[in-house]
Amino acid sequence: KPRVLIVDDETAILDTLRILLKGDGFEVHTAASGNQGLQAIAEVDPDFVLTDVRMPGVGGLEILRAAHEHDPTIPVILMTAQASLQSAIQAVNQGAFHYIQKPFANDELLVICRRAAESRRLKKENQALKKELR
């Protein structure tokens, strides 16, 4: 089961996403704030991270940086209610896997999450094969 870490300060969204992703076969871990998200990255070692961009204190871009410091192959999906072209470009330039605007269709989010999990699986497999070849 691919492990996902969901970081959002809105508990209703956390609950909805937990149910949605568990129902699709993911192992779901949640963090109700950016600070909790930073701690959870090392504890959970997720296959991908789904995080809100705007949260009090630590925001989604900090979560993105921390996830990539922990492991550069972790895809990070950023969610936002206040999408702007500038913030989307900034997120992608900083290495976000995807940028999705709230509210989104559940089916659309599931497709993105499956792609993120598959991307991570392929990167890990690639690393293992390279190690074997050495």
Side-chain angles (χ1 to χ4, degrees):
K1 276 185 171 181
R3 270 186 319 280
V4 56
L5 172 62
I6 305 168
V7 185
D8 201 310
D9 59 325
E10 293 179 52
T11 52
I13 289 175
L14 275 183
D15 292 341
T16 302
L17 292 174
R18 182 188 309 111
I19 292 164
L20 177 68
L21 293 171
K22 263 190 179 161
D24 202 54
F26 292 96
E27 179 187 316
V28 180
H29 299 267
T30 58
S33 72
N35 282 325
Q36 283 182 23
L38 291 177
Q39 290 174 343
I41 289 167
E43 292 166 14
V44 172
D45 190 26
D47 289 308
F48 68 98
V49 176
L50 183 58
T51 182
D52 192 12
V53 172
R54 289 195 182 187
M55 295 179 285
V58 176
L61 292 174
E62 287 94 337
I63 298 290
L64 170 66
R65 275 192 292 278
H68 285 172
E69 280 170 20
H70 175 73
D71 182 340
T73 68
I74 297 175
V76 178
I77 301 163
L78 296 170
M79 306 176 288
T80 184
Q82 298 94 13
S84 72
L85 183 60
Q86 184 184 0
S87 60
I89 290 169
Q90 183 185 9
V92 171
N93 284 343
Q94 291 187 24
F97 180 79
H98 206 286
Y99 188 88
I100 187 166
Q101 187 169 353
K102 295 177 185 176
F104 40 75
N106 289 348
D107 291 347
E108 180 188 4
L109 182 67
L110 287 174
V111 166
I112 295 165
C113 288
R114 287 184 203 124
R115 278 201 348 245
E118 179 66 5
S119 168
R120 168 79 165 167
R121 188 189 65 74
L122 290 171
K123 284 177 183 171
K124 283 175 100 172
E125 191 177 285
N126 191 357
Q127 286 175 339
L129 289 170
K130 282 179 179 174
K131 199 181 258 184
E132 241 176 75
L133 285 171
R134 280 191 220 116

